[in-house]
């Protein structure tokens, strides 16, 4: 009873025999000992293009993930939440955290102090930048990463499955071809060399029975070959249609790529707008203004070295009529431009690094600004972008 229960079912031997035949055919093809059914050139090109599309899509997808989320731990956490089909908890951006730290520091230093009030302005800007970054990450993930992932986890898996099935059909076809070839060889050999003698006519009966067996085997092999060829052709057509759909995939990815560029451009434009607003709010002072303003009074780089008339209140640069301003008879100086500067309006003068311009001031003008002249061009320029020459 134990031996009978341990015996495998008859289907096992059929499957094992078929797998052994396929493995033998595959090995003989690799060794060049068996005929291999070749695919046409167009089909091979479709396969090559599909593999190329998969490889580069995977690389672009992975690197885009790194760009959008440089923290590998955060990427692993998002992956686990996605596999568990749970919503990813909101995570503050680096800008949000920096802005929060600045606001807390401002409370400690005192919001009424110059440093504290500036921390509040910069911290608020950093929080707005963090919000813009968060919106950019969400939109980019939906418009660009999701279509790429859907291709890799959906369309490409279907293509791979059908390609594996086509390879099995090809091995079946090649095995049937080999079986038919062996049957034809055995039949021809039995017909050419009959195994009988006149003294032993019983051998003639045996040879005739063998010939009939080989004929039956030949008919069976031809039938299996026709069936295998039909299945191979059908599977090849299914795989071909899927591979030709790669062109539509390229069109879809092109559309998603354009959307990603638009979202990215909008994000950087928004960040630039926030920084411009912050710069105007801080009076366009660059970090180098501390170095320039730290020069002692009366030095060649000190703006107070210019003769000025006392005024009740400094004039704002946007209230000056540049066309009506005339250089004083004395007090003009040469200045070297330290950094490039783009004029924000028609009253300002754009600057290029390392060029020399003539500068002077007018009564009541803001000490952070000077009038600059370059040829026939004239406009206000920020002091922090200049090195005043003696």
């Amino acid at each position: 009873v134990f031996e009978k229960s341990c015996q495998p079912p008859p289907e096992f031997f059929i499957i094992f025999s078929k797998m052994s035949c396929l493995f033998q055919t595959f090995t003989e093809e690799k060794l060049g000992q068996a005929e291999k059914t070749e695919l046409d050139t167009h089909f091979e090109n479709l396969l090559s293009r599909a593999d190329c599309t998969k490889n580069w899509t995977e690389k672009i997808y992975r690197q885009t993930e790194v760009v959008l989320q440089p923290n590998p731990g955060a990427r692993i956490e998002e992956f686990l939440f996605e596999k568990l089909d749970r919503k990813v908890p909101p995570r503050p951006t680096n800008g949000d955290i920096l802005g929060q730290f600045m606001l807390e520091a401002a409370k400690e230093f005192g919001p009424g102090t110059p440093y504290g009030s500036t921390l509040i302005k910069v911290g608020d800007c950093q929080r707005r930048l963090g919000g813009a970054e968060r919106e950019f990450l969400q939109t980019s993930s939906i418009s660009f990463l999701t279509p790429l992932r859907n291709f890799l986890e959906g369309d490409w898996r279907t293509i791979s499955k059908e390609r594996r099935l086509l390879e099995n059909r090809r091995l079946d076809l090649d095995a049937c071809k080999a079986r038919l070839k062996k049957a034809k060889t055995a039949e021809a050999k039995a017909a050419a060399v009959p195994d009988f003698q006149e003294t032993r006519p019983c051998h003639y009966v045996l040879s005739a029975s063998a010939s009939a067996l080989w004929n039956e085997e030949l008919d069976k092999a031809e039938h299996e070959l026709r069936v295998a060829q039909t299945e191979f052709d059908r599977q090849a057509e299914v795989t071909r249609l899927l591979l030709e759909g790669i062109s539509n995939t390229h069109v879809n990815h092109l559309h998603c790529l354009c959307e990603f560029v638009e979202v990215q451009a909008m994000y950087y434009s928004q960040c630039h707008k926030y920084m411009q607003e912050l710069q105007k709010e801080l009076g366009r002072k660059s970090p180098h203004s501390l170095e320039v303003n730290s020069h002692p009074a009366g030095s060649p780089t000190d703006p107070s070295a210019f003769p000025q008339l006392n005024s009740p209140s400094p004039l704002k640069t946007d209230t000056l009529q540049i066309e009506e301003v005339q250089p004083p008879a004395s007090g003009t100086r040469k200045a070297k431009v330290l950094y490039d500067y783009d004029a924000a309006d028609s009253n300002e003068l754009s600057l290029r690094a390392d060029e020399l311009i003539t500068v002077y001031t007018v009564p009541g003008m803001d000490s952070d600004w000077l009038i600059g002249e370059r040829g026939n061009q004239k406009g206000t320029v920020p002091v922090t972008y200049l090195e005043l020459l003696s």
Side-chain angles (χ1 to χ4, degrees):
V1 174
F2 177 76
E3 291 180 355
K4 289 183 179 180
S5 62
C6 293
Q7 289 181 356
E11 293 82 1
F12 171 80
F13 295 102
I14 298 175
I15 297 175
F16 181 78
S17 176
K18 186 175 182 180
M19 291 179 62
S20 300
C21 182
L22 292 177
F23 180 75
Q24 181 182 2
T25 303
F26 179 78
T27 305
E28 291 177 351
E29 288 179 355
K30 291 297 182 181
L31 297 176
Q33 300 175 355
E35 179 184 358
K36 179 180 178 180
T37 301
E38 299 292 343
L39 302 171
D40 58 85
T41 305
H42 177 63
F43 200 96
E44 292 288 352
N45 292 336
L46 291 177
L47 290 174
S48 177
R49 188 177 64 159
D51 290 334
C52 183
T53 301
K54 182 260 181 183
N55 293 334
W56 283 111
T57 300
E58 194 170 30
K59 291 180 180 179
I60 293 174
Y61 175 79
R62 299 303 178 194
Q63 191 58 34
T64 305
E65 279 189 324
V66 174
V67 172
L68 297 180
Q69 179 52 265
N71 187 352
R75 293 201 303 272
I76 294 176
E77 181 181 355
E78 292 176 358
F79 175 78
L80 293 177
F81 273 101
E82 181 181 353
K83 291 302 180 183
L84 295 174
D85 197 17
R86 297 178 59 184
K87 185 178 180 181
V88 180
R91 182 185 297 107
T93 63
N94 294 327
D96 293 330
I97 299 175
L98 177 59
Q100 185 63 30
F101 286 170
M102 288 184 174
L103 294 177
E104 293 177 0
K107 293 180 180 179
E108 293 289 336
F109 299 140
T113 62
Y115 184 38
S117 61
T118 304
L119 279 173
I120 292 177
K121 296 175 182 178
V122 178
D124 182 64
C125 180
Q126 293 298 327
R127 295 181 67 176
R128 286 189 293 170
L129 292 174
E133 180 184 0
R134 186 164 49 252
E135 183 178 356
F136 164 67
L137 296 179
Q138 294 175 354
T139 308
S140 299
S141 177
I142 295 174
S143 63
F144 189 60
L145 284 183
T146 300
L148 298 185
R149 183 171 61 248
N150 290 340
F151 167 75
L152 294 173
E153 297 180 357
D155 296 347
W156 181 252
R157 288 186 177 180
T158 302
I159 292 175
S160 300
K161 177 182 177 181
E162 297 299 330
R163 287 178 64 175
R164 290 192 297 268
L165 190 56
L166 177 64
E167 181 66 15
N168 292 336
R169 294 289 182 265
R170 186 189 64 79
L171 291 174
D172 289 339
L173 179 61
D174 293 342
C176 291
K177 289 181 179 179
R179 192 178 304 115
L180 178 62
K181 184 177 180 180
K182 292 179 181 179
K184 287 183 177 180
T185 302
E187 183 196 26
K189 184 176 180 181
V193 185
D195 186 17
F196 69 93
Q197 296 179 1
E198 293 180 357
T199 57
R200 300 182 63 182
C202 61
H203 286 184
Y204 176 79
V205 176
L206 292 176
S207 180
S209 300
S211 179
L213 290 175
W214 282 116
N215 287 333
E216 183 181 353
E217 183 67 20
L218 182 61
D219 294 339
K220 183 179 178 181
E222 289 177 347
H223 174 71
E224 292 179 352
L225 178 61
R226 287 192 297 269
V227 173
Q229 185 69 52
T230 302
E231 293 180 352
F232 173 79
D233 294 340
R234 184 186 300 112
Q235 185 60 36
E237 184 63 23
V238 171
T239 309
R240 183 193 302 273
L241 293 176
L242 291 174
L243 294 175
E244 290 176 348
I246 293 294
S247 299
N248 296 330
T249 300
H250 287 184
V251 174
N252 183 34
H253 288 181
L254 173 60
H255 178 70
C256 297
L257 181 61
C258 293
E259 288 187 357
F260 175 68
V261 172
E262 292 179 1
V263 172
Q264 199 171 25
M266 187 181 302
Y267 164 67
Y268 287 123
S269 175
Q270 193 172 11
C271 292
H272 180 65
K273 178 183 176 182
Y274 290 155
M275 294 308 300
Q276 278 189 324
E277 293 176 354
L278 176 63
Q279 195 176 20
K280 290 181 180 179
E281 192 174 1
L282 297 179
R284 299 181 183 275
K285 292 184 179 181
S286 70
H288 303 280
S289 61
L290 297 176
E291 178 183 354
V292 175
N293 293 336
S294 64
H295 290 175
S299 65
T301 56
D302 181 23
S304 62
F306 290 98
Q308 299 185 24
L309 298 179
N310 293 330
S311 175
S313 61
L315 297 177
K316 295 183 179 179
T317 57
D318 54 1
T319 62
L320 291 175
Q321 299 296 328
I322 298 300
E323 295 79 4
E324 301 176 0
V325 175
Q326 298 296 329
S330 61
T332 61
R333 299 174 61 176
K334 291 292 184 180
K336 180 181 178 182
V337 179
L338 300 177
Y339 323 102
D340 291 345
Y341 176 77
D342 294 329
D345 52 46
S346 58
N347 287 335
E348 296 183 2
L349 178 67
S350 296
L351 303 176
R352 293 295 173 263
D354 298 329
E355 69 175 344
L356 295 178
I357 61 174
T358 302
V359 295
Y360 55 89
T361 186
V362 295
M365 188 175 179
D366 192 336
S367 60
D368 292 333
W369 294 83
L370 294 173
I371 304 296
E373 289 187 359
R374 181 181 56 238
N376 297 327
Q377 298 178 338
K378 180 169 56 176
T380 57
V381 294
V383 175
T384 54
Y385 284 72
L386 303 175
E387 178 185 355
L388 303 178
L389 304 178
S390 58

